[in-house]
Amino acid sequence: MRELPRRDFLKLTASALLTAAAAAAAAPVAWAEKFYREPPWRRKKPYWGFCVDIEKCIGCGRCVDACKTENDVPREPFYVRTWVERYIIRKDNEIKIDSPNGGMDGYPPVENPETVAKSFFVPKLCNLCENSPCVQVCPVGATFKTEDGVVLIDRKYCIGCRYCIQACPYGTRYFHPILQVADKCSVCYHRLRRGKVTACVEACPTGARMVGDLSDPQSNVSKFRENNKVQTLKANMGTEPKLVYKGLDKEVR
Amino acid sequence: MHDSVVIALRDTLDKVTGFIYPNELELQWSILIVLYPYLTGLVAGAFILASLERVFNVKVLKPTYRLSLLTALAFLMIAPLPLQVHLGHPERSFNILFTPNPTSAMAMFGFVYLWYLMAVLLMEIWLDYRKEIVGWADTDPSWLKRLIYKVMTLGVFKPTEKSFVIDDRVGRALTIIGLPSAVLLHGYVGFIFGSIKANPWWSTPLMPIIFLFSAMASGIAGVMLLYMFLCWARDVEIEMPCLDTVAKYFLTAVIVAFSLEMLESIQTAYEAEEHFDIIQLLIEGKLYISLIVIQICLGSLLPILLLGLTQIFELPEKVRKVFYAVSGTLSLIGIFAMRWNVVVGGQFFSKSLMGFTTYKLELAGREGLFSASVIAVLPFFVLAGLLWLLPPWENKPGGAA
Amino acid sequence: MKDIEHLLRVAAIFLVAIALFVAVRSVVKPESYGKLGRYRAAALDEIKALPVRYAGQQECGPCHKTQAREKAGSSHRGISCESCHGALAAHAAAPKTAKALKPEESSMRGFCLRCHEAAVSKPAKFPTVEGGKHNPDMACSMCHKPHSPKI
């Protein structure tokens, strides 16, 4: 090989470094332009979303019962696809959370109600993450996100390693004791595709739960997200849930 | 079977403290998943010890070279068993190989494992023993062994002298590939846990490297103890320069592993994020014995102290042997406790960070103590078989060809 | 050549093993896997075909006109029939054979109070009573008709 004179070599290195530095200096601008990410429901139709209005939930537990009936969820308190938590925040900042039997049979009366600063119910279900950690970790592709944005489980393909249960930050998955596969809220996908709302929405007497198509700007969920200040759970996880809450307190985990 | 799970869970309902999400009552990864990183760790550690002799030419380690390789193989053959037994549908486990999900750390297991078992370990052992195998195929008194050796020669009964020179070079190249493979195999096991952002007790980029160094400590300790035991059982003298060197590497691994663990803990405590309170409660409560007492004090500090003494003072051979044996055993127990603290400990607290569930280790059943113990003992039977077939010592009838 | 014959044989074994793996994979891999993404597309059809237990509000009105009209004008208008009457897809499909459910008259009070019992956790606007003080011995339906509860 021909030997490169030392001077030329140094020149070449210096110019390469300068080019790289210039590119690096310009990069933040380029990135900032990309910072806005178009939501997937701009491109795909339909795209399912879910909204919960905490200010409407009365903790009757009809949703939990309906979900178990509709989806053959084992009737044990430790297998739930949806559940309702009750938060009791006392004036001295003591926080108590409970969800006996997932809230299906109601709740025991609150002791010393005069010391309660605030109390409310929080329904929980699959968060419909856009970046689902459960889908990310499944070794075989038995849990997946559909074209219309719902995370589902292939019961015939799941090997039962339970990695997805570990990966879900929201505790919405359980191990089905009879089928021996992971199981979770499917947002009643079989109902959505038949033009029906989910069983929990059907059973909710106060309209605290809403399911709908985010790609339709006129849909109930789109309007709800537009007209209210909504939040997601554990936003720091970067999971980008399509389940949003109105009236979420900072203590809700 | 499934009913017994449900009944056991019903019993634990009132043992929950604080608040957990309803689905979190069941602890998903049981003692079998504790065993899995433990066994893989022994593999990686033993292999790295073998590589030291080969790649870095630490000639004094010769007596443990082959033993380390066979130990690694024996444990590697059993390592996937606890995973397999734990699966809800073991018959579907091949899905991992046929349709792996590239974003899943676990999906890579099959490939890393096969690569390591087939391409690296088996090949290396075979190349190293080939000269003897060819000889034994003729001379061994047992017809069964002669037959096995004949198969193992792959029909090349009269190898040339030059082929052994080539073998040596290929073997060396394999070890150089094998070293990063061993690191990958165990680092990857750490990544399975370290990449779970939902669990603050697991989610740290240090996890793979902590697993790696504790793996080295456990593997080296395991081979050291096996070497001492086998010398005693065969009634031959222990080669002290070799044992001393192994112990030195062992001490290094323990110190690095312990430092990394402490670094991780200090970082967690100092940053004191949202999850710090519950982790503090976890350490002071459910993990006090297994973490503070067993993992840190007995499993790390005491071995460091004992091994440190052998480095500072010129202790007589007998005392050194006792110190090595005691610290090796303690470290093996401590590292098992470490795996327990990571795997089971990480599932004790709720992702709501507001309470704890509980875990009752059953005796019987698929995921009970009994089946775990059987799996833990199995590698030793495999190793006994390997020692019978491929004796790592040289003064054996049949001898070198 | 003779010096590396054994290595060539090993290589052959590896090649056969890999070929075998590829062959088995092509047989075992589900046909629909990967069609839509990294999953079995057939699973979607299986999930879509799962049975429906709750018929949905739109199914009730056409037969139960009186009740539907009554409810539509009441404060319970937002509540779907199946919220109280339970899952009735089977009844909607075969009204003659599959009987509709009614909340038991004897447990009705408890059923009503599940929603309407006063509790600090409930939204302030929601109509509640203290069950223990509000005519404790009477069935709710004595005064409040479930389909049109206002007296």
Side-chain angles (χ1 to χ4, degrees):
Chain A
M1 218 176 82
R2 191 177 62 89
E3 216 158 285
L4 199 64
R6 210 168 286 175
R7 254 181 93 95
D8 288 356
F9 172 72
L10 283 175
K11 262 190 197 164
L12 208 68
T13 319
S15 63
L17 278 174
L18 273 176
T19 322
V29 182
W31 285 342
E33 276 165 10
K34 282 181 197 156
F35 196 77
Y36 163 76
R37 265 183 293 175
E38 194 187 37
W41 50 88
R42 290 274 182 279
R43 274 171 282 119
K44 288 173 190 162
K45 271 176 191 283
Y47 214 76
W48 300 105
F50 206 102
C51 302
V52 171
D53 188 346
I54 289 175
E55 284 149 24
K56 280 188 179 169
C57 181
I58 57 169
C60 65
R62 300 300 295 152
C63 50
V64 184
D65 189 45
C67 175
K68 289 211 176 197
T69 306
E70 179 73 27
N71 297 296
D72 289 323
V73 178
R75 295 230 156 221
E76 299 285 346
F78 33 85
Y79 302 120
V80 288
R81 284 183 173 204
T82 183
W83 70 99
V84 182
E85 294 165 5
R86 176 175 67 172
Y87 282 71
I88 303 165
I89 299 162
R90 307 252 173 207
K91 285 173 180 151
D92 60 1
N93 274 332
E94 188 202 308
I95 300 162
K96 190 178 171 264
I97 314 169
D98 62 352
S99 185
N101 200 6
M104 195 163 95
D105 312 322
Y107 301 78
V110 180
E111 283 163 43
N112 307 322
E114 65 283 356
T115 65
V116 173
K118 54 184 163 181
S119 181
F120 47 86
F121 297 102
V122 183
K124 297 273 184 88
L125 62 152
C126 174
N127 279 247
L128 291 157
C129 303
E130 193 47 35
N131 308 323
S132 316
C134 54
V135 173
Q136 186 186 30
V137 303
C138 175
V140 298
T143 187
F144 53 91
K145 200 174 82 197
T146 61
E147 302 269 274
D148 41 5
V150 178
V151 175
L152 297 175
I153 292 176
D154 183 348
R155 289 178 166 180
K156 287 194 185 151
Y157 212 62
C158 171
I159 62 174
C161 72
R162 316 180 186 198
Y163 201 14
C164 56
I165 307 178
Q166 307 286 9
C168 174
Y170 307 102
T172 61
R173 289 176 166 248
Y174 64 92
F175 194 67
H176 198 294
I178 298 150
L179 300 168
Q180 292 284 292
V181 295
D183 197 39
K184 69 173 272 290
C185 163
S186 62
V187 233
C188 288
Y189 195 68
H190 60 299
R191 297 177 61 84
L192 293 181
R193 294 299 293 248
R194 287 180 171 107
K196 297 178 193 290
V197 295
T198 65
C200 57
V201 170
E202 188 69 44
C204 178
T206 63
R209 289 170 175 252
M210 270 153 278
V211 68
D213 180 5
L214 291 168
S215 71
D216 171 10
Q218 298 306 316
S219 73
N220 56 350
V221 285
S222 298
K223 283 278 167 218
F224 188 83
R225 289 165 70 117
E226 202 177 295
N227 298 334
N228 296 291
K229 293 186 186 70
V230 293
Q231 276 190 67
T232 61
L233 293 173
K234 300 190 185 183
N236 61 322
M237 292 280 165
T239 51
E240 307 207 358
K242 295 185 289 284
L243 162 64
V244 296
Y245 289 88
K246 175 190 172 192
L248 200 62
D249 192 84
K250 81 176 176 68
E251 301 300 345
V252 175
R253 291 285 182 275
Chain B
M1 174 76 221
H2 317 317
D3 290 345
S4 74
V5 170
V6 171
I7 290 162
L9 282 173
R10 269 185 214 142
D11 286 344
T12 53
L13 260 175
D14 58 349
K15 296 195 177 67
V16 170
T17 42
F19 170 75
I20 63 170
Y21 298 135
N23 288 332
E24 287 180 321
L25 183 73
E26 184 175 13
L27 202 130
Q28 302 294 340
W29 283 354
S30 65
I31 187 162
L32 292 179
I33 307 298
V34 177
L35 211 51
Y36 158 68
Y38 190 60
L39 295 180
T40 356
L42 288 166
V43 177
F47 185 84
I48 288 166
L49 181 62
S51 319
L52 288 172
E53 196 269 349
R54 194 99 190 197
V55 182
F56 303 113
N57 256 327
V58 188
K59 281 288 165 244
V60 69
L61 288 179
K62 190 90 195 156
T64 55
Y65 171 62
R66 286 180 157 185
L67 180 64
S68 327
L69 283 184
L70 294 181
T71 309
L73 180 60
F75 279 89
L76 191 66
M77 283 165 83
I78 302 301
L81 194 62
L83 293 185
Q84 185 71 22
V85 174
H86 173 263
L87 288 184
H89 282 276
E91 80 284 359
R92 297 179 189 167
S93 63
F94 59 81
N95 289 356
I96 283 195
L97 289 173
F98 292 141
T99 59
N101 175 9
T103 63
S104 166
M106 197 182 275
M108 292 306 113
F109 169 76
F111 295 101
V112 175
Y113 178 83
L114 282 180
W115 160 256
Y116 191 66
L117 174 73
M118 297 298 174
V120 177
L121 252 187
L122 278 183
M123 269 300 277
E124 192 170 337
I125 292 174
W126 182 68
L127 289 173
D128 196 66
Y129 275 92
R130 203 169 67 90
K131 200 169 189 176
E132 275 108 321
I133 288 171
V134 173
W136 291 333
D138 272 338
T139 57
D140 200 274
S142 143
W143 65 268
L144 176 67
K145 277 170 106 175
R146 279 204 307 277
L147 182 71
I148 299 174
Y149 292 137
K150 282 215 171 87
V151 173
M152 287 170 80
T153 61
L154 297 183
V156 183
F157 298 119
K158 296 217 166 22
T160 60
E161 268 314 306
K162 203 179 160 214
S163 72
F164 293 124
V165 179
I166 293 173
D167 279 4
D168 192 54
R169 235 177 267 154
V170 174
R172 213 187 155 99
L174 269 179
T175 324
I176 293 173
I177 304 168
L179 200 59
S181 303
V183 169
L184 183 70
L185 179 69
H186 209 68
Y188 137 86
V189 174
F191 187 76
I192 285 191
F193 297 97
S195 62
I196 294 300
K197 65 182 166 194
N199 189 323
W201 183 238
W202 290 347
S203 173
T204 157
L206 273 182
M207 198 58 104
I209 186 160
I210 289 176
F211 262 63
L212 186 65
F213 276 95
S214 56
M216 281 168 66
S218 70
I220 297 174
V223 173
M224 184 177 79
L225 291 177
L226 270 172
Y227 175 62
M228 292 171 82
F229 169 77
L230 287 172
C231 284
W232 173 80
R234 293 167 56 235
D235 203 17
V236 296
E237 278 294 309
I238 293 178
E239 288 186 37
M240 281 316 278
C242 171
L243 190 66
D244 287 333
T245 312
V246 173
K248 209 179 274 178
Y249 288 128
F250 173 41
L251 174 61
T252 315
V254 177
I255 289 176
V256 176
F258 181 64
S259 314
L260 287 170
E261 283 160 16
M262 289 304 105
L263 190 63
E264 208 279 317
S265 310
I266 291 167
Q267 175 95 7
T268 308
Y270 193 83
E271 287 188 344
E273 287 185 53
E274 188 185 19
H275 54 255
F276 179 60
D277 285 345
I278 193 100
I279 282 177
Q280 201 172 12
L281 286 172
L282 178 74
I283 293 171
E284 288 166 1
K286 282 178 182 286
L287 293 186
Y288 184 77
I289 300 287
S290 61
L291 182 78
I292 307 286
V293 178
I294 301 180
Q295 182 187 333
I296 294 179
C297 294
L298 294 177
S300 301
L301 290 175
L302 197 52
I304 291 175
L305 179 74
L306 290 178
L307 293 167
L309 286 176
T310 66
Q311 298 298 313
I312 296 164
F313 303 104
E314 292 213 358
L315 300 172
E317 205 181 295
K318 237 187 178 142
V319 179
R320 268 174 14 236
K321 278 185 199 162
V322 172
F323 276 22
Y324 294 159
V326 171
S327 49
T329 314
L330 283 176
S331 178
L332 281 178
I333 296 169
I335 289 165
F336 185 81
M338 180 264 185
R339 308 292 192 240
W340 172 278
N341 294 329
V342 170
V343 177
V344 176
Q347 300 171 77
F348 272 144
F349 65 92
S350 166
K351 286 169 189 157
S352 68
L353 311 178
M354 293 297 280
F356 296 97
T357 185
T358 184
Y359 173 50
K360 189 166 163 273
L361 182 56
E362 303 280 319
L363 282 179
R366 194 167 69 168
E367 299 191 30
L369 185 63
F370 180 71
S371 85
S373 310
V374 170
I375 292 173
V377 172
L378 270 179
F380 294 100
F381 284 93
V382 178
L383 182 62
L386 287 174
L387 291 174
W388 168 81
L389 189 67
L390 301 168
W393 32 79
E394 269 140 38
N395 58 342
K396 195 76 181 165
Chain C
M1 200 59 184
K2 203 149 175 25
D3 298 332
I4 54 162
E5 198 190 347
H6 61 292
L7 293 176
L8 293 178
R9 290 189 183 186
V10 170
I13 293 176
F14 272 96
L15 284 179
V16 170
I18 291 169
L20 207 68
F21 174 80
V22 173
V24 173
R25 180 179 184 268
S26 68
V27 175
V28 176
K29 189 183 145 192
E31 204 196 319
S32 66
Y33 194 97
K35 261 189 190 155
L36 294 173
R38 254 170 229 291
Y39 58 93
R40 215 166 50 91
L44 264 185
D45 302 324
E46 288 162 25
I47 292 167
K48 275 187 244 167
L50 284 173
V52 162
R53 304 276 155 74
Y54 279 79
Q57 184 54 48
Q58 64 273 28
E59 303 280 318
C60 309
C63 298
H64 303 279
K65 289 198 178 83
T66 338
Q67 290 90 335
R69 209 178 307 122
E70 200 180 351
K71 185 164 80 75
S74 81
S75 54
H76 275 177
R77 61 187 170 274
I79 305 175
S80 136
C81 303
E82 286 167 298
S83 185
C84 300
H85 292 279
L88 288 170
H91 168 71
K96 293 264 155 58
T97 44
K99 277 278 150 234
L101 309 168
K102 238 184 190 181
E104 286 287 320
E105 199 71 36
S106 57
S107 60
M108 264 289 267
R109 199 177 163 84
F111 189 79
C112 297
L113 285 172
R114 177 73 75 75
C115 292
H116 291 289
E117 174 74 70
V120 284
S121 315
K122 286 179 185 169
K125 293 172 293 202
F126 189 75
T128 56
V129 294
E130 280 181 58
K133 293 181 187 155
H134 186 88
N135 307 319
D137 302 325
M138 282 160 74
C140 305
S141 52
M142 297 272 284
C143 310
H144 308 277
K145 287 197 202 107
H147 293 149
S148 139
K150 212 162 196 153
I151 305 171

